[in-house]
Amino acid sequence: MAAEGGGKETNEIKTQFTTREGVYKLLTHSEYSRPNRVPFNSQGSNPVKVSFVNVNDQSGNGDRICFNVGRELYFYIYKGVRKAADLSKPIDKRIYKGTQPTCHDFNPLTATADSVSLLVGFSAGQVQLIDPIKKETSKLFNEERLIDKSRVTCVRWVPGSESLFLVAHSSGSMYLYNVENTCGTTPPNYQLLKQGENYAVHTCKSKSARNPLLRWTVGEGALNEFAFSPDGKFLACASQDGFLRVFGFDAAELHGTMKSYFGGLLCVCWSPDGQYIVAGGEDDLVTVWSFSDCRVIARGHGHKSWVSVVAFDHCTTSVEDSDLPAEFSGSDEEYHEQTNFGVGRDRANSAQSRLSKRNSTDGRPVSVTYRFGSVGQDTQMCLWDLTEDILFPHLPLSRTRTHTNVMSATSSPAAGTVTAATTTAAAASSGTNGSNTGSTSGNNSGNTTNSLPATLPRSNSLPHSNPQGGTTPNSHPSSNSSTTTATPTPTPTTTTPASKGGSIIDSTFIATGVSKFATLSLHDSRKDRHEKDHKRNHSMGHINSKSSDKLNQLSSSRTAKADAAKTLGTTLCPRMEEVPLLEPLVCKKIAHERLTVLIFLEDCLVTACQEGFVCTWARPGKVGLLSSQSHTATPPRGTVV
């Protein structure tokens, strides 16, 4: 049963939550689902995914939404916070036989009111290009499954291109396609184009242009998701082997890597300015990685199960250059139950907002605040703020530092809830603001500023339960380095390019290539894949449609433990006490089934769960439903494919 606000019952579904900006409210009339509104039986089904596109409609209602539920695919006009959803009139509906849609993506460059280009990936490995407005199916790629037989995990149009798109599979391979080319009637032959540490790029040998243009082999196990940087120049890949790998896309050169604390990485996203990458996965953590420094700068712990989606909120993220008060996000997360907590945070925020540009000798902005969110298989949504003291930990001494929510590492672990302590570390000089904010925790013992290593920023940080052991803050029995089951973790090395300079995409159009490149078969033997023996409530993992996908994830756990121990404590995978641990601003249970979608839009945010319900949450002050009429439950006619 839904609860208004932050109810005390842990199993209650929240319909609103509060942050520094105000109250976010669930719009029940803007819920999209199957027309009959019956919860979908999600057992054995692929995750529900949602894609948006704006067709620049002159009527001002140009947003379109696509989502998959089981073997069905729906395409609607998305009315958002303006009007109630009319589920009886989908623009297009398709029902597939023998396979299920797993992911999809619109091309924003070609979208018009009369035509859109939608790519759909399937559980059997095919990729379909359709136009749901014209109700046309223009092309089917990998139709005979000669290129890859495994499930499509992610499909994206290449930024700035009307014809190129990239497809990732659970086999661990990615393929670059051109919509103008055919796939051929025989399995493709490849030749090596570039090779590096645990990745290789091959071009397709053919006398005439055919798909795929390129094959990327990345890591071991499934490639669960990839994301292009905002400028389209870099590609971040999250793999089942637990590695985040960031490539320069055109040159196919490895820029940097990161290793999860344990288990596979399931999701990845870029900050709006391309400076930071957030990844989530089977360690229940969100990990923030600096693109410029190629290192982990923070971890966030709030989920109780696998993190399925991470996304930055471009509307709340801010970089302030002026002397205006800094934007610093807080949360009245627990509403009236923890009023003192909110007051303490507000006081800390006001101290932060008094920072001025003249106190900084390195020319950094007054305030940098990144907002991102995450949803997981624990049915919870978390919102996080990445603030200045995490981004720039080594500030000049003349600058006031604000540390929020730090708890002594020697505090009693018997406390069941996170206690909030707010401390302001003032500079020694008399010109700085030295007002201290009192602790709101009765469990906080001693001086909190001395309870952690002096080099660590402690803003929005959770307590470190074991400063010397590097244990994870969650309740996994396999949470330390001696029992972790991560896959082999090689150290990063420089790539060995086979061709210097220029774009490898351009080079793929050159027939046959250079004879000195070795040729490899499509059926190269690969190491057995790793499947994590990780069971808990709501943790269903990736449900594979074929038994071969599961076989591809098996590997030796003994070897994995030994290799994981090698990376723990390095820059690839710092120990838990070596990087700041973020606390979520908001952590709310918002669904009955595992969450699979989180998208931030201008006036709302959109979530979806495995039951097939796509929910719209209005931003503060954006609630403006014009109509809330009831809808008929008569299912519309659809196209059976």
Side-chain angles (χ1 to χ4, degrees), residues 258-437:
M258 182 270 290
K259 175 70 174 60
S260 67
Y261 197 74
F262 65 85
L265 287 179
L266 306 179
C267 52
V268 63
C269 69
W270 291 79
S271 64
D273 58 4
Q275 293 299 310
Y276 301 97
I277 296 174
V278 172
E282 296 175 356
D283 54 9
D284 302 353
L285 303 171
V286 293
T287 304
V288 185
W289 190 79
S290 171
F291 175 80
S292 58
D293 297 337
C294 292
R295 66 180 182 89
V296 175
I297 62 171
R299 290 189 179 103
H301 176 240
H303 288 283
K304 300 175 183 177
S305 187
W306 296 356
V307 180
S308 52
V309 181
V310 288
F312 272 88
D313 183 355
H314 61 281
C315 295
T316 308
T317 296
S318 67
V319 180
E320 305 264 347
D321 293 323
S322 63
D323 291 330
L324 297 175
E327 180 175 355
F328 188 95
S329 297
S331 170
D332 296 329
E333 179 188 352
E334 298 302 328
Y335 297 91
H336 305 292
E337 301 174 8
Q338 293 191 13
T339 305
N340 292 334
F341 178 87
V343 171
R345 178 164 296 197
D346 290 340
R347 293 173 65 185
N349 295 348
S350 63
Q352 179 77 6
S353 67
R354 285 192 290 269
L355 294 177
S356 63
K357 201 167 186 177
R358 64 178 182 271
N359 287 335
S360 177
T361 59
D362 53 9
R364 290 195 176 106
V366 172
S367 174
V368 182
T369 302
Y370 295 87
R371 167 71 57 82
F372 65 94
S374 59
V375 295
Q377 297 189 12
D378 56 359
T379 72
Q380 292 191 123
M381 175 177 63
C382 295
L383 296 182
W384 314 80
D385 265 4
L386 189 60
T387 51
E388 191 179 33
D389 53 350
I390 300 296
L391 303 175
F392 311 126
H394 305 293
L395 295 178
L397 291 178
S398 62
R399 192 167 184 175
T400 302
R401 295 281 301 281
T402 302
H403 310 300
T404 307
N405 297 346
V406 181
M407 182 174 167
S408 171
T410 60
S411 298
S412 172
T417 59
V418 177
T419 56
T422 309
T423 311
T424 302
S429 61
S430 60
T432 58
N433 184 356
S435 60
N436 292 329
T437 305

Side-chain angles (χ1 to χ4, degrees), residues 25 137 140 165 194 236 299 304 310 401 459-460 503 539 565:
K25 294 183 179 181
T137 301
L140 184 60
F165 62 93
K194 183 163 292 190
R299 290 189 179 103
K304 300 175 183 177
V310 288
R401 295 281 301 281
S459 177
N460 294 338
S503 169
S539 294

Side-chain angles (χ1 to χ4, degrees), residues 98-393:
T99 186
Q100 294 184 359
T102 59
C103 51
H104 32 82
D105 189 45
F106 288 103
N107 192 331
L109 295 181
T110 60
T112 66
D114 301 322
S115 175
V116 293
S117 297
L118 176 65
L119 290 169
V120 184
F122 291 92
S123 56
Q126 303 95 334
V127 178
Q128 191 179 48
L129 175 63
I130 64 176
D131 188 333
I133 295 180
K134 294 182 178 180
K135 296 181 173 56
E136 294 178 352
T137 301
S138 56
K139 282 192 177 182
L140 184 60
F141 302 93
N142 193 30
E143 181 176 6
E144 302 298 328
R145 305 173 68 207
L146 298 175
I147 298 174
D148 201 306
K149 293 181 171 58
S150 63
R151 173 175 51 92
V152 176
T153 57
C154 186
V155 59
R156 293 280 188 273
W157 291 96
V158 174
S161 175
E162 296 184 1
S163 58
L164 298 178
F165 62 93
L166 195 62
V167 181
H169 289 257
S170 59
S171 63
S173 296
M174 287 189 302
Y175 302 91
L176 181 68
Y177 288 82
N178 188 324
V179 296
E180 306 298 333
N181 296 351
T182 62
C183 291
T185 57
T186 58
N189 292 320
Y190 298 99
Q191 67 179 16
L192 183 64
L193 185 64
K194 183 163 292 190
Q195 190 171 11
E197 186 66 37
N198 257 12
Y199 84 96
V201 182
H202 297 82
T203 182
C204 183
K205 289 196 341 179
S206 177
K207 294 181 179 179
S208 59
R210 64 161 290 178
N211 284 319
L213 304 179
L214 293 175
R215 183 186 73 174
W216 295 60
T217 305
V218 181
E220 299 183 7
L223 204 166
N224 291 321
E225 189 177 33
F226 63 83
F228 285 98
S229 61
D231 60 7
K233 295 180 180 179
F234 291 89
L235 184 69
C237 301
S239 298
Q240 190 61 36
D241 62 6
F243 276 90
L244 168 72
R245 297 176 177 89
V246 182
F247 298 94
F249 181 63
D250 284 348
E253 292 182 350
L254 186 64
H255 172 77
T257 59
M258 182 270 290
K259 175 70 174 60
S260 67
Y261 197 74
F262 65 85
L265 287 179
L266 306 179
C267 52
V268 63
C269 69
W270 291 79
S271 64
D273 58 4
Q275 293 299 310
Y276 301 97
I277 296 174
V278 172
E282 296 175 356
D283 54 9
D284 302 353
L285 303 171
V286 293
T287 304
V288 185
W289 190 79
S290 171
F291 175 80
S292 58
D293 297 337
C294 292
R295 66 180 182 89
V296 175
I297 62 171
R299 290 189 179 103
H301 176 240
H303 288 283
K304 300 175 183 177
S305 187
W306 296 356
V307 180
S308 52
V309 181
V310 288
F312 272 88
D313 183 355
H314 61 281
C315 295
T316 308
T317 296
S318 67
V319 180
E320 305 264 347
D321 293 323
S322 63
D323 291 330
L324 297 175
E327 180 175 355
F328 188 95
S329 297
S331 170
D332 296 329
E333 179 188 352
E334 298 302 328
Y335 297 91
H336 305 292
E337 301 174 8
Q338 293 191 13
T339 305
N340 292 334
F341 178 87
V343 171
R345 178 164 296 197
D346 290 340
R347 293 173 65 185
N349 295 348
S350 63
Q352 179 77 6
S353 67
R354 285 192 290 269
L355 294 177
S356 63
K357 201 167 186 177
R358 64 178 182 271
N359 287 335
S360 177
T361 59
D362 53 9
R364 290 195 176 106
V366 172
S367 174
V368 182
T369 302
Y370 295 87
R371 167 71 57 82
F372 65 94
S374 59
V375 295
Q377 297 189 12
D378 56 359
T379 72
Q380 292 191 123
M381 175 177 63
C382 295
L383 296 182
W384 314 80
D385 265 4
L386 189 60
T387 51
E388 191 179 33
D389 53 350
I390 300 296
L391 303 175
F392 311 126

Side-chain angles (χ1 to χ4, degrees), residues 16 60 79 92 115 132 177 181 183 215 360 425 455 479-480 490 499 553 565 587 604:
Q16 67 180 35
K79 300 178 181 179
D92 194 16
S115 175
Y177 288 82
N181 296 351
C183 291
R215 183 186 73 174
S360 177
T455 58
S479 59
N480 53 45
S499 59
Q553 295 180 355
C587 187
C604 62

